[in-house]
Amino acid sequence: MPMQPIDHPLNLTMQAVLTYGSWGITVVLIALAIRMGLRERTPFYVLMVLAAMVAAFAEPLYDTALVLYFYSTDGMYTHFTAFGVPQPIWTHSGYAVLYASAAMFIAQAIHRGTLTSRGLYAFAGLELVMSSVFEMVGINGGAYAYWGPHVFRIFKYPLVIGVLEAAQVICFAVAAALLRKRATNPWQLLGLFVLFPCTFFMANFGAGAPTIIALHLDHVSETLIRLGAVASIVAAAVLIRAAASLLPLASGPVTPAEAPVSPKHADRR
């Protein structure tokens, strides 16, 4: 097992790019969420973004399980440390940009009843690309590393991570849309703050369990890590397929006023 890179120098320029860039995009994203919400008269989209940002406080659990370390030498912008992993302040904005942004548009399309299973697969592919690009930049730019014995790396980025992230965004978006459909009071949408960490860890710790266990074996085996990564990728694909099977989803329950009128009843009118 490699050693945790606690003394690896942090690239302060990359830290500035990730911090100011992601927070700037987050401000724009929140403004967009407010605009979308005003049009549909709902706080749903803003709450999706805020739920993702608050859930970033649980990032140390993810870091420990999937063997990630944020470089923490002098000059790091950090606000707390847990499980021996200092957390940069851009994790919250990063969650908004990487996870909430795509989930917002997926949930909106589901609410409108326009998203098909094929469209959901396209969103999953887009999320995979977004996550991969973001993380490759951060990793190769010297901000952090997946320092464990991961396999199937592309530019130092483990492919299994991107697939798991795509699955978790899809699950959150579909679950959020279902919550919105069933909610009878705006206050019930606060359930998004619980829903996000549940779907996040369901995908990453559920589908990702074979990878996590293989990475933390007392006697590390590259063969087992490869098998674990493949098993996790397959499990993540199953999650996405299961979410897609729920589509298309009507925008809400049909009320008596909206109920279709049969020809028989129409004649009576």
Side-chain angles (χ1 to χ4, degrees), residues 66-96:
L66 288 161
V67 205
L68 183 154
Y69 188 80
F70 297 103
Y71 299 142
S72 56
T73 50
D74 291 343
M76 182 187 190
Y77 302 150
T78 182
H79 54 317
F80 78 101
T81 297
F83 296 101
V85 184
Q87 298 296 303
I89 60 174
W90 56 261
T91 53
H92 303 280
S93 52
Y95 269 48

PDB file of all heavy atoms in Angstrom, residues 66-96:
ATOM      1  N   LEU A  66     -12.129   5.776  -0.469  1.00  0.00           N
ATOM      2  CA  LEU A  66     -11.573   5.661  -1.823  1.00  0.00           C
ATOM      3  C   LEU A  66     -10.160   6.216  -1.933  1.00  0.00           C
ATOM      4  O   LEU A  66      -9.639   6.426  -3.018  1.00  0.00           O
ATOM      5  CB  LEU A  66     -12.516   6.328  -2.817  1.00  0.00           C
ATOM      6  CG  LEU A  66     -13.792   5.495  -3.014  1.00  0.00           C
ATOM      7  CD1 LEU A  66     -14.927   6.306  -3.599  1.00  0.00           C
ATOM      8  CD2 LEU A  66     -13.522   4.279  -3.882  1.00  0.00           C
ATOM      9  N   VAL A  67      -9.541   6.424  -0.784  1.00  0.00           N
ATOM     10  CA  VAL A  67      -8.106   6.722  -0.683  1.00  0.00           C
ATOM     11  C   VAL A  67      -7.729   7.962  -1.491  1.00  0.00           C
ATOM     12  O   VAL A  67      -6.923   7.921  -2.409  1.00  0.00           O
ATOM     13  CB  VAL A  67      -7.258   5.505  -1.131  1.00  0.00           C
ATOM     14  CG1 VAL A  67      -5.885   5.582  -0.471  1.00  0.00           C
ATOM     15  CG2 VAL A  67      -7.909   4.190  -0.774  1.00  0.00           C
ATOM     16  N   LEU A  68      -8.324   9.071  -1.089  1.00  0.00           N
ATOM     17  CA  LEU A  68      -8.033  10.377  -1.695  1.00  0.00           C
ATOM     18  C   LEU A  68      -7.416  11.267  -0.635  1.00  0.00           C
ATOM     19  O   LEU A  68      -7.823  11.231   0.529  1.00  0.00           O
ATOM     20  CB  LEU A  68      -9.325  10.998  -2.238  1.00  0.00           C
ATOM     21  CG  LEU A  68      -9.233  12.342  -2.966  1.00  0.00           C
ATOM     22  CD1 LEU A  68     -10.405  12.480  -3.941  1.00  0.00           C
ATOM     23  CD2 LEU A  68      -9.263  13.538  -2.003  1.00  0.00           C
ATOM     24  N   TYR A  69      -6.443  12.081  -1.035  1.00  0.00           N
ATOM     25  CA  TYR A  69      -5.835  13.022  -0.089  1.00  0.00           C
ATOM     26  C   TYR A  69      -5.644  14.367  -0.770  1.00  0.00           C
ATOM     27  O   TYR A  69      -5.087  14.454  -1.870  1.00  0.00           O
ATOM     28  CB  TYR A  69      -4.490  12.508   0.423  1.00  0.00           C
ATOM     29  CG  TYR A  69      -3.930  13.352   1.545  1.00  0.00           C
ATOM     30  CD1 TYR A  69      -4.400  13.181   2.844  1.00  0.00           C
ATOM     31  CD2 TYR A  69      -2.960  14.320   1.313  1.00  0.00           C
ATOM     32  CE1 TYR A  69      -3.906  13.955   3.889  1.00  0.00           C
ATOM     33  CE2 TYR A  69      -2.459  15.093   2.347  1.00  0.00           C
ATOM     34  CZ  TYR A  69      -2.939  14.913   3.631  1.00  0.00           C
ATOM     35  OH  TYR A  69      -2.470  15.684   4.668  1.00  0.00           O
ATOM     36  N   PHE A  70      -6.136  15.422  -0.103  1.00  0.00           N
ATOM     37  CA  PHE A  70      -5.914  16.789  -0.581  1.00  0.00           C
ATOM     38  C   PHE A  70      -4.573  17.273  -0.038  1.00  0.00           C
ATOM     39  O   PHE A  70      -4.355  17.254   1.179  1.00  0.00           O
ATOM     40  CB  PHE A  70      -7.036  17.711  -0.096  1.00  0.00           C
ATOM     41  CG  PHE A  70      -8.398  17.351  -0.622  1.00  0.00           C
ATOM     42  CD1 PHE A  70      -9.322  16.694   0.183  1.00  0.00           C
ATOM     43  CD2 PHE A  70      -8.759  17.653  -1.929  1.00  0.00           C
ATOM     44  CE1 PHE A  70     -10.576  16.353  -0.296  1.00  0.00           C
ATOM     45  CE2 PHE A  70     -10.009  17.315  -2.423  1.00  0.00           C
ATOM     46  CZ  PHE A  70     -10.922  16.661  -1.606  1.00  0.00           C
ATOM     47  N   TYR A  71      -3.694  17.670  -0.928  1.00  0.00           N
ATOM     48  CA  TYR A  71      -2.370  18.129  -0.494  1.00  0.00           C
ATOM     49  C   TYR A  71      -2.529  19.303   0.472  1.00  0.00           C
ATOM     50  O   TYR A  71      -3.288  20.250   0.210  1.00  0.00           O
ATOM     51  CB  TYR A  71      -1.531  18.540  -1.691  1.00  0.00           C
ATOM     52  CG  TYR A  71      -1.285  17.399  -2.676  1.00  0.00           C
ATOM     53  CD1 TYR A  71      -1.275  17.640  -4.054  1.00  0.00           C
ATOM     54  CD2 TYR A  71      -1.075  16.093  -2.236  1.00  0.00           C
ATOM     55  CE1 TYR A  71      -1.049  16.610  -4.964  1.00  0.00           C
ATOM     56  CE2 TYR A  71      -0.849  15.056  -3.136  1.00  0.00           C
ATOM     57  CZ  TYR A  71      -0.843  15.328  -4.492  1.00  0.00           C
ATOM     58  OH  TYR A  71      -0.626  14.304  -5.401  1.00  0.00           O
ATOM     59  N   SER A  72      -1.804  19.223   1.590  1.00  0.00           N
ATOM     60  CA  SER A  72      -2.077  20.148   2.696  1.00  0.00           C
ATOM     61  C   SER A  72      -0.843  20.862   3.224  1.00  0.00           C
ATOM     62  O   SER A  72      -0.765  21.182   4.408  1.00  0.00           O
ATOM     63  CB  SER A  72      -2.739  19.381   3.841  1.00  0.00           C
ATOM     64  OG  SER A  72      -1.920  18.284   4.239  1.00  0.00           O
ATOM     65  N   THR A  73       0.118  21.119   2.352  1.00  0.00           N
ATOM     66  CA  THR A  73       1.291  21.875   2.794  1.00  0.00           C
ATOM     67  C   THR A  73       0.925  23.350   2.950  1.00  0.00           C
ATOM     68  O   THR A  73      -0.220  23.748   2.715  1.00  0.00           O
ATOM     69  CB  THR A  73       2.447  21.692   1.795  1.00  0.00           C
ATOM     70  OG1 THR A  73       1.964  21.942   0.465  1.00  0.00           O
ATOM     71  CG2 THR A  73       3.000  20.281   1.854  1.00  0.00           C
ATOM     72  N   ASP A  74       1.897  24.175   3.340  1.00  0.00           N
ATOM     73  CA  ASP A  74       1.638  25.579   3.649  1.00  0.00           C
ATOM     74  C   ASP A  74       0.869  26.286   2.529  1.00  0.00           C
ATOM     75  O   ASP A  74       1.177  26.133   1.342  1.00  0.00           O
ATOM     76  CB  ASP A  74       2.963  26.317   3.878  1.00  0.00           C
ATOM     77  CG  ASP A  74       3.649  25.877   5.166  1.00  0.00           C
ATOM     78  OD1 ASP A  74       2.962  25.261   6.004  1.00  0.00           O
ATOM     79  OD2 ASP A  74       4.862  26.136   5.317  1.00  0.00           O
ATOM     80  N   GLY A  75      -0.142  27.059   2.947  1.00  0.00           N
ATOM     81  CA  GLY A  75      -0.912  27.842   1.992  1.00  0.00           C
ATOM     82  C   GLY A  75      -2.249  27.228   1.630  1.00  0.00           C
ATOM     83  O   GLY A  75      -3.015  27.829   0.873  1.00  0.00           O
ATOM     84  N   MET A  76      -2.573  26.070   2.191  1.00  0.00           N
ATOM     85  CA  MET A  76      -3.852  25.437   1.860  1.00  0.00           C
ATOM     86  C   MET A  76      -5.003  26.215   2.482  1.00  0.00           C
ATOM     87  O   MET A  76      -4.965  26.604   3.637  1.00  0.00           O
ATOM     88  CB  MET A  76      -3.889  23.992   2.373  1.00  0.00           C
ATOM     89  CG  MET A  76      -5.174  23.262   2.024  1.00  0.00           C
ATOM     90  SD  MET A  76      -5.281  21.637   2.817  1.00  0.00           S
ATOM     91  CE  MET A  76      -6.713  20.945   1.972  1.00  0.00           C
ATOM     92  N   TYR A  77      -6.073  26.424   1.683  1.00  0.00           N
ATOM     93  CA  TYR A  77      -7.303  27.026   2.182  1.00  0.00           C
ATOM     94  C   TYR A  77      -8.170  25.900   2.744  1.00  0.00           C
ATOM     95  O   TYR A  77      -8.831  25.180   2.000  1.00  0.00           O
ATOM     96  CB  TYR A  77      -8.071  27.739   1.073  1.00  0.00           C
ATOM     97  CG  TYR A  77      -7.322  28.829   0.344  1.00  0.00           C
ATOM     98  CD1 TYR A  77      -7.601  29.109  -0.981  1.00  0.00           C
ATOM     99  CD2 TYR A  77      -6.345  29.586   0.988  1.00  0.00           C
ATOM    100  CE1 TYR A  77      -6.937  30.113  -1.666  1.00  0.00           C
ATOM    101  CE2 TYR A  77      -5.657  30.586   0.314  1.00  0.00           C
ATOM    102  CZ  TYR A  77      -5.958  30.849  -1.017  1.00  0.00           C
ATOM    103  OH  TYR A  77      -5.294  31.835  -1.680  1.00  0.00           O
ATOM    104  N   THR A  78      -8.157  25.726   4.050  1.00  0.00           N
ATOM    105  CA  THR A  78      -8.900  24.620   4.651  1.00  0.00           C
ATOM    106  C   THR A  78      -9.738  25.120   5.811  1.00  0.00           C
ATOM    107  O   THR A  78      -9.403  26.125   6.443  1.00  0.00           O
ATOM    108  CB  THR A  78      -7.955  23.509   5.137  1.00  0.00           C
ATOM    109  OG1 THR A  78      -8.718  22.428   5.679  1.00  0.00           O
ATOM    110  CG2 THR A  78      -6.988  24.026   6.186  1.00  0.00           C
ATOM    111  N   HIS A  79     -10.856  24.450   6.089  1.00  0.00           N
ATOM    112  CA  HIS A  79     -11.727  24.868   7.183  1.00  0.00           C
ATOM    113  C   HIS A  79     -11.940  23.785   8.224  1.00  0.00           C
ATOM    114  O   HIS A  79     -12.383  24.068   9.330  1.00  0.00           O
ATOM    115  CB  HIS A  79     -13.066  25.372   6.650  1.00  0.00           C
ATOM    116  CG  HIS A  79     -13.788  24.422   5.751  1.00  0.00           C
ATOM    117  ND1 HIS A  79     -13.166  23.697   4.759  1.00  0.00           N
ATOM    118  CD2 HIS A  79     -15.105  24.070   5.674  1.00  0.00           C
ATOM    119  CE1 HIS A  79     -14.042  22.968   4.117  1.00  0.00           C
ATOM    120  NE2 HIS A  79     -15.228  23.153   4.660  1.00  0.00           N
ATOM    121  N   PHE A  80     -11.646  22.523   7.906  1.00  0.00           N
ATOM    122  CA  PHE A  80     -11.685  21.482   8.929  1.00  0.00           C
ATOM    123  C   PHE A  80     -10.952  20.248   8.417  1.00  0.00           C
ATOM    124  O   PHE A  80     -10.723  20.086   7.216  1.00  0.00           O
ATOM    125  CB  PHE A  80     -13.122  21.137   9.337  1.00  0.00           C
ATOM    126  CG  PHE A  80     -13.877  20.256   8.364  1.00  0.00           C
ATOM    127  CD1 PHE A  80     -14.033  18.890   8.609  1.00  0.00           C
ATOM    128  CD2 PHE A  80     -14.450  20.785   7.217  1.00  0.00           C
ATOM    129  CE1 PHE A  80     -14.742  18.077   7.727  1.00  0.00           C
ATOM    130  CE2 PHE A  80     -15.170  19.989   6.337  1.00  0.00           C
ATOM    131  CZ  PHE A  80     -15.306  18.619   6.593  1.00  0.00           C
ATOM    132  N   THR A  81     -10.601  19.386   9.368  1.00  0.00           N
ATOM    133  CA  THR A  81      -9.908  18.130   9.065  1.00  0.00           C
ATOM    134  C   THR A  81     -10.648  17.000   9.758  1.00  0.00           C
ATOM    135  O   THR A  81     -11.033  17.120  10.922  1.00  0.00           O
ATOM    136  CB  THR A  81      -8.446  18.162   9.546  1.00  0.00           C
ATOM    137  OG1 THR A  81      -7.744  19.193   8.844  1.00  0.00           O
ATOM    138  CG2 THR A  81      -7.756  16.821   9.296  1.00  0.00           C
ATOM    139  N   ALA A  82     -10.856  15.906   9.035  1.00  0.00           N
ATOM    140  CA  ALA A  82     -11.488  14.719   9.624  1.00  0.00           C
ATOM    141  C   ALA A  82     -10.860  13.477   9.009  1.00  0.00           C
ATOM    142  O   ALA A  82     -10.504  13.481   7.828  1.00  0.00           O
ATOM    143  CB  ALA A  82     -12.999  14.731   9.380  1.00  0.00           C
ATOM    144  N   PHE A  83     -10.688  12.443   9.816  1.00  0.00           N
ATOM    145  CA  PHE A  83     -10.042  11.204   9.387  1.00  0.00           C
ATOM    146  C   PHE A  83      -8.649  11.477   8.828  1.00  0.00           C
ATOM    147  O   PHE A  83      -8.169  10.766   7.942  1.00  0.00           O
ATOM    148  CB  PHE A  83     -10.895  10.472   8.340  1.00  0.00           C
ATOM    149  CG  PHE A  83     -12.224  10.006   8.843  1.00  0.00           C
ATOM    150  CD1 PHE A  83     -13.373  10.717   8.551  1.00  0.00           C
ATOM    151  CD2 PHE A  83     -12.338   8.867   9.638  1.00  0.00           C
ATOM    152  CE1 PHE A  83     -14.608  10.299   9.021  1.00  0.00           C
ATOM    153  CE2 PHE A  83     -13.573   8.449  10.113  1.00  0.00           C
ATOM    154  CZ  PHE A  83     -14.707   9.168   9.808  1.00  0.00           C
ATOM    155  N   GLY A  84      -8.026  12.530   9.332  1.00  0.00           N
ATOM    156  CA  GLY A  84      -6.671  12.849   8.902  1.00  0.00           C
ATOM    157  C   GLY A  84      -6.573  13.473   7.527  1.00  0.00           C
ATOM    158  O   GLY A  84      -5.471  13.581   6.984  1.00  0.00           O
ATOM    159  N   VAL A  85      -7.701  13.904   6.958  1.00  0.00           N
ATOM    160  CA  VAL A  85      -7.697  14.511   5.621  1.00  0.00           C
ATOM    161  C   VAL A  85      -8.187  15.950   5.727  1.00  0.00           C
ATOM    162  O   VAL A  85      -9.388  16.190   5.922  1.00  0.00           O
ATOM    163  CB  VAL A  85      -8.587  13.740   4.633  1.00  0.00           C
ATOM    164  CG1 VAL A  85      -8.468  14.349   3.234  1.00  0.00           C
ATOM    165  CG2 VAL A  85      -8.213  12.261   4.607  1.00  0.00           C
ATOM    166  N   PRO A  86      -7.301  16.951   5.595  1.00  0.00           N
ATOM    167  CA  PRO A  86      -7.737  18.356   5.591  1.00  0.00           C
ATOM    168  C   PRO A  86      -8.626  18.617   4.376  1.00  0.00           C
ATOM    169  O   PRO A  86      -8.350  18.141   3.276  1.00  0.00           O
ATOM    170  CB  PRO A  86      -6.415  19.127   5.489  1.00  0.00           C
ATOM    171  CG  PRO A  86      -5.355  18.154   5.913  1.00  0.00           C
ATOM    172  CD  PRO A  86      -5.840  16.814   5.473  1.00  0.00           C
ATOM    173  N   GLN A  87      -9.700  19.369   4.598  1.00  0.00           N
ATOM    174  CA  GLN A  87     -10.663  19.628   3.531  1.00  0.00           C
ATOM    175  C   GLN A  87     -10.489  21.032   2.951  1.00  0.00           C
ATOM    176  O   GLN A  87     -10.524  22.021   3.691  1.00  0.00           O
ATOM    177  CB  GLN A  87     -12.082  19.466   4.069  1.00  0.00           C
ATOM    178  CG  GLN A  87     -12.393  18.070   4.564  1.00  0.00           C
ATOM    179  CD  GLN A  87     -12.347  17.044   3.456  1.00  0.00           C
ATOM    180  OE1 GLN A  87     -13.060  17.163   2.461  1.00  0.00           O
ATOM    181  NE2 GLN A  87     -11.512  16.031   3.618  1.00  0.00           N
ATOM    182  N   PRO A  88     -10.308  21.147   1.653  1.00  0.00           N
ATOM    183  CA  PRO A  88     -10.229  22.469   1.029  1.00  0.00           C
ATOM    184  C   PRO A  88     -11.614  23.107   0.967  1.00  0.00           C
ATOM    185  O   PRO A  88     -12.625  22.398   0.881  1.00  0.00           O
ATOM    186  CB  PRO A  88      -9.690  22.162  -0.370  1.00  0.00           C
ATOM    187  CG  PRO A  88     -10.148  20.771  -0.651  1.00  0.00           C
ATOM    188  CD  PRO A  88     -10.129  20.056   0.677  1.00  0.00           C
ATOM    189  N   ILE A  89     -11.672  24.428   0.968  1.00  0.00           N
ATOM    190  CA  ILE A  89     -12.975  25.099   0.986  1.00  0.00           C
ATOM    191  C   ILE A  89     -13.697  24.966  -0.354  1.00  0.00           C
ATOM    192  O   ILE A  89     -14.894  25.249  -0.435  1.00  0.00           O
ATOM    193  CB  ILE A  89     -12.839  26.585   1.361  1.00  0.00           C
ATOM    194  CG1 ILE A  89     -11.940  27.318   0.351  1.00  0.00           C
ATOM    195  CG2 ILE A  89     -12.266  26.728   2.763  1.00  0.00           C
ATOM    196  CD1 ILE A  89     -11.895  28.813   0.587  1.00  0.00           C
ATOM    197  N   TRP A  90     -12.999  24.504  -1.394  1.00  0.00           N
ATOM    198  CA  TRP A  90     -13.672  24.378  -2.691  1.00  0.00           C
ATOM    199  C   TRP A  90     -14.422  23.050  -2.844  1.00  0.00           C
ATOM    200  O   TRP A  90     -15.052  22.829  -3.884  1.00  0.00           O
ATOM    201  CB  TRP A  90     -12.683  24.555  -3.847  1.00  0.00           C
ATOM    202  CG  TRP A  90     -11.493  23.640  -3.860  1.00  0.00           C
ATOM    203  CD1 TRP A  90     -10.232  23.926  -3.422  1.00  0.00           C
ATOM    204  CD2 TRP A  90     -11.444  22.294  -4.352  1.00  0.00           C
ATOM    205  NE1 TRP A  90      -9.403  22.841  -3.593  1.00  0.00           N
ATOM    206  CE2 TRP A  90     -10.122  21.828  -4.174  1.00  0.00           C
ATOM    207  CE3 TRP A  90     -12.382  21.437  -4.934  1.00  0.00           C
ATOM    208  CZ2 TRP A  90      -9.724  20.545  -4.555  1.00  0.00           C
ATOM    209  CZ3 TRP A  90     -11.988  20.162  -5.301  1.00  0.00           C
ATOM    210  CH2 TRP A  90     -10.672  19.727  -5.113  1.00  0.00           C
ATOM    211  N   THR A  91     -14.415  22.204  -1.830  1.00  0.00           N
ATOM    212  CA  THR A  91     -15.205  20.965  -1.955  1.00  0.00           C
ATOM    213  C   THR A  91     -16.696  21.289  -2.062  1.00  0.00           C
ATOM    214  O   THR A  91     -17.422  20.643  -2.831  1.00  0.00           O
ATOM    215  CB  THR A  91     -14.975  20.025  -0.765  1.00  0.00           C
ATOM    216  OG1 THR A  91     -15.211  20.731   0.459  1.00  0.00           O
ATOM    217  CG2 THR A  91     -13.568  19.461  -0.769  1.00  0.00           C
ATOM    218  N   HIS A  92     -17.158  22.297  -1.315  1.00  0.00           N
ATOM    219  CA  HIS A  92     -18.579  22.640  -1.339  1.00  0.00           C
ATOM    220  C   HIS A  92     -18.999  23.177  -2.702  1.00  0.00           C
ATOM    221  O   HIS A  92     -20.022  22.771  -3.262  1.00  0.00           O
ATOM    222  CB  HIS A  92     -18.884  23.652  -0.238  1.00  0.00           C
ATOM    223  CG  HIS A  92     -18.493  23.172   1.121  1.00  0.00           C
ATOM    224  ND1 HIS A  92     -19.271  22.292   1.855  1.00  0.00           N
ATOM    225  CD2 HIS A  92     -17.385  23.416   1.876  1.00  0.00           C
ATOM    226  CE1 HIS A  92     -18.667  22.024   3.009  1.00  0.00           C
ATOM    227  NE2 HIS A  92     -17.518  22.691   3.034  1.00  0.00           N
ATOM    228  N   SER A  93     -18.214  24.074  -3.242  1.00  0.00           N
ATOM    229  CA  SER A  93     -18.518  24.587  -4.581  1.00  0.00           C
ATOM    230  C   SER A  93     -18.308  23.500  -5.632  1.00  0.00           C
ATOM    231  O   SER A  93     -19.026  23.439  -6.636  1.00  0.00           O
ATOM    232  CB  SER A  93     -17.652  25.807  -4.890  1.00  0.00           C
ATOM    233  OG  SER A  93     -16.276  25.530  -4.667  1.00  0.00           O
ATOM    234  N   GLY A  94     -17.340  22.632  -5.406  1.00  0.00           N
ATOM    235  CA  GLY A  94     -17.100  21.527  -6.329  1.00  0.00           C
ATOM    236  C   GLY A  94     -18.280  20.582  -6.404  1.00  0.00           C
ATOM    237  O   GLY A  94     -18.647  20.107  -7.484  1.00  0.00           O
ATOM    238  N   TYR A  95     -18.910  20.317  -5.264  1.00  0.00           N
ATOM    239  CA  TYR A  95     -20.100  19.465  -5.255  1.00  0.00           C
ATOM    240  C   TYR A  95     -21.227  20.115  -6.055  1.00  0.00           C
ATOM    241  O   TYR A  95     -21.972  19.441  -6.768  1.00  0.00           O
ATOM    242  CB  TYR A  95     -20.566  19.220  -3.814  1.00  0.00           C
ATOM    243  CG  TYR A  95     -19.972  17.998  -3.153  1.00  0.00           C
ATOM    244  CD1 TYR A  95     -18.599  17.752  -3.199  1.00  0.00           C
ATOM    245  CD2 TYR A  95     -20.769  17.089  -2.468  1.00  0.00           C
ATOM    246  CE1 TYR A  95     -18.048  16.638  -2.585  1.00  0.00           C
ATOM    247  CE2 TYR A  95     -20.225  15.974  -1.843  1.00  0.00           C
ATOM    248  CZ  TYR A  95     -18.868  15.756  -1.902  1.00  0.00           C
ATOM    249  OH  TYR A  95     -18.329  14.651  -1.305  1.00  0.00           O
ATOM    250  N   ALA A  96     -21.375  21.430  -5.910  1.00  0.00           N
ATOM    251  CA  ALA A  96     -22.415  22.137  -6.650  1.00  0.00           C
ATOM    252  C   ALA A  96     -22.179  22.041  -8.150  1.00  0.00           C
ATOM    253  O   ALA A  96     -23.085  21.736  -8.931  1.00  0.00           O
ATOM    254  CB  ALA A  96     -22.468  23.603  -6.214  1.00  0.00           C
TER     255      ALA A  96
END
